Amino acid sequence: MDLIIGNSSPIRRIKELICQVVDTDLNVLICGESGVGKELVALSLHNLSKRNKHQIVKVNCAALPGELLESELFGYEKGAFTGAVKSKPGKFEMANQGTMFLDEIGDMPLPLQAKLLQVLQDGAFARVGGLEEINVNAWVIAATNHDLEQDVQKGIFREDLFYRLNIIKIVVPPLRERKEDIPLLIEHLLNKHQSVSKGRHITISDRLKKIFSEYYWPGNVRELENYVRRIMVLGDSDALEEEILKRMDVSTRECSTSEIWAPDESLLNSVLENCKQEAQGKFPSLKEIKKKSVARIERIVIEEALRRTKGNRKQAAQLLQISYKALLYKIKDFKVKMPQKNPEEVLELKLPENTSFI
Ligand SMILES: Nc1ncnc2c1ncn2[C@@H]1O[C@H](COP(=O)(O)OP(=O)(O)OP(=O)(O)O)[C@@H](O)[C@H]1O
Ligand SMILES: [Mg+2]
């Protein structure tokens, strides 16, 4: 548990969940953006479980093409394919009594998902080119930065496998949503990488810490770790400060406070007109008009934010000061149109005069 640094409420909740789940053998699905610490959660789960006397075996499902991934996971028998000069056990066999960590599960090809489902159901499988049934008892923990529910809807992830894996879901939030953890993480990372500073005492200036607390952290804790290591080796805090400020400036330049667009009266009036028309002449109830107006205005503002960020949803979420996930839901719910990739359109700050609301 000491592996996971942080005292923010989401991190405390994750630590609690880990304690509750350990030794239940229920499949765990760890979700979160890249670099948030999903692998660390998987390691903590294994280390705290009774299975810690055995191995935690990791397979990165995005790193290998389908057939290679199959033989990596399930092993193969001699002669199964050209080059299979002797039999080889797969990672599932190695994880017997221990933990199987399936990283980037969202990238597993569909045919292999079927075989994995079978292992999860029966605890048994056959090596590639083999007939003998091999039984395994491994705790299966999977991780992904995909929205698997959306992948299921798109037909690229099996629904039955999703429900099998998703018995316990641990969502690791992005660093931007738990910035209070940054000082503790910095301290931890300075200690962790002590050896690279060759005995010099390195500190991070208050100025840089302040910049860190305002930054958007698209690469999450991994990005923070890379900056800390860089400072420890190069001692170039000033250059780093400038780089990060520049990056922050690019994503917020088109949205300085004076430029923030807000709906004016004529726009609100036309929303009202629209609602009236929809209510077929009757005057709509205040509740109804409030709901519809807010949804329509949100859609317009989201489309505007997406235009300004050239369709980059992470940056748009930052502009709108909502979480990335909330933005994805809103895009879906309000049927938001993604901008066309036309740079001139992106720079256009005003809304078109004849904006339609439907
Ligand atoms: N809460 C934390 N405390 C200490 N170190 C952390 C924490 N979160 C992440 N790290 C460190 O940040 C780096 C990235 O973490 P990790 O590899 O677990 O992320 P991930 O979510 O699996 O990323 P990816 O999706 O890119 O594989 C690692 O070096 C890890 O040790
Ligand atoms: Mg990982």
Side-chain angles (χ1 to χ4, degrees), residues 57-97:
V57 180
K58 172 182 160 181
V59 171
N60 183 336
C61 303
L64 295 170
E67 278 157 28
L68 278 177
L69 182 59
E70 182 176 9
S71 47
E72 177 84 356
L73 281 170
F74 304 108
Y76 53 85
E77 293 296 351
K78 184 177 168 183
F81 46 82
T82 328
V85 286
K86 58 178 185 178
S87 307
K88 194 177 167 222
K91 294 281 169 78
F92 254 106
E93 278 173 75
M94 289 162 69
N96 195 25
Q97 306 301 326

Side-chain angles (χ1 to χ4, degrees), residues 29-33 36 38 144-151 162 166 169-174 176-177 216 298 302 313-318 320-334 336:
L29 180 65
I30 308 167
C31 304
E33 290 178 15
V36 284
K38 298 185 292 298
T144 184
N145 56 17
H146 287 209
D147 180 339
L148 282 191
E149 266 141 323
Q150 221 173 62
D151 287 359
F162 171 69
N166 191 34
K169 185 174 188 175
I170 301 184
V171 180
V172 189
R176 79 190 75 89
E177 286 175 15
Y216 177 64
E298 276 196 61
I302 290 169
R313 290 176 295 188
K314 280 190 185 157
Q315 284 179 8
Q318 187 190 16
L320 296 162
Q321 296 174 41
I322 56 174
S323 74
Y324 177 60
K325 206 152 189 180
L327 178 63
L328 296 186
Y329 281 126
K330 284 178 190 290
I331 289 176
K332 202 168 135 216
D333 282 358
F334 303 151
V336 168

Side-chain angles (χ1 to χ4, degrees), residues 102-337:
L102 298 169
D103 203 4
E104 316 281 4
I105 188 80
D107 291 287
M108 181 176 274
L110 270 169
L112 211 50
Q113 290 178 23
K115 190 160 177 179
L116 175 62
L117 181 67
Q118 187 203 327
V119 184
L120 295 180
Q121 275 164 352
D122 310 334
F125 62 91
R127 288 180 181 170
V128 176
L131 293 171
E132 188 199 341
E133 200 166 78
I134 296 170
N135 290 294
V136 277
N137 170 358
W139 187 18
V140 175
I141 301 177
T144 184
N145 56 17
H146 287 209
D147 180 339
L148 282 191
E149 266 141 323
Q150 221 173 62
D151 287 359
V152 167
Q153 273 169 15
K154 283 193 229 154
I156 53 176
F157 201 84
R158 289 182 67 114
E159 190 172 17
D160 42 12
L161 178 60
F162 171 69
Y163 288 117
R164 275 270 161 185
L165 293 169
N166 191 34
I167 297 178
I168 304 287
K169 185 174 188 175
I170 301 184
V171 180
V172 189
L175 186 57
R176 79 190 75 89
E177 286 175 15
R178 48 181 164 111
K179 285 182 174 166
E180 63 266 47
D181 288 338
I182 293 177
L184 274 180
L185 280 165
I186 292 176
E187 204 181 308
H188 161 76
L189 294 167
L190 284 168
N191 281 326
K192 179 175 170 186
H193 297 292
Q194 232 168 17
S195 60
V196 296
S197 68
K198 298 188 179 129
R200 284 172 298 142
H201 181 66
I202 309 281
T203 52
I204 306 269
S205 69
D206 288 345
R207 202 178 117 87
L208 187 52
K209 279 187 190 157
K210 181 159 185 300
I211 293 172
F212 278 175
S213 72
E214 281 157 17
Y215 182 49
Y216 177 64
W217 297 109
N220 294 296
V221 184
R222 179 172 299 109
E223 188 179 8
L224 175 63
E225 180 160 25
N226 289 342
Y227 292 152
V228 169
R229 285 164 76 185
R230 167 179 156 175
I231 293 171
M232 294 180 85
V233 174
L234 303 178
D236 64 342
S237 287
D238 292 352
L240 181 63
E241 274 175 24
E242 247 173 69
E243 268 175 46
I244 298 180
L245 284 173
K246 218 184 260 168
R247 219 167 296 157
M248 284 161 70
D249 188 40
V250 169
S251 63
T252 51
R253 191 167 351 145
E254 289 116 13
C255 198
S256 68
T257 339
S258 60
E259 279 175 340
I260 290 177
W261 175 85
D264 61 17
E265 210 162 313
S266 68
L267 181 57
L268 293 172
N269 279 336
S270 69
V271 172
L272 177 61
E273 271 318 303
N274 245 272
C275 289
K276 274 194 210 162
Q277 273 170 25
E278 270 183 20
Q280 289 168 339
K282 277 192 291 168
F283 202 87
S285 72
L286 191 59
K287 196 171 160 195
E288 193 181 346
I289 201 159
K290 190 169 150 192
K291 194 171 145 214
K292 286 187 175 163
S293 316
V294 169
R296 282 167 187 178
I297 289 169
E298 276 196 61
R299 194 182 88 177
I300 294 167
V301 177
I302 290 169
E303 284 176 355
E304 181 68 7
L306 285 164
R307 252 196 301 277
R308 290 183 193 195
T309 57
K310 302 186 174 79
N312 183 320
R313 290 176 295 188
K314 280 190 185 157
Q315 284 179 8
Q318 187 190 16
L319 283 184
L320 296 162
Q321 296 174 41
I322 56 174
S323 74
Y324 177 60
K325 206 152 189 180
L327 178 63
L328 296 186
Y329 281 126
K330 284 178 190 290
I331 289 176
K332 202 168 135 216
D333 282 358
F334 303 151
K335 300 191 176 60
V336 168
K337 287 193 217 96

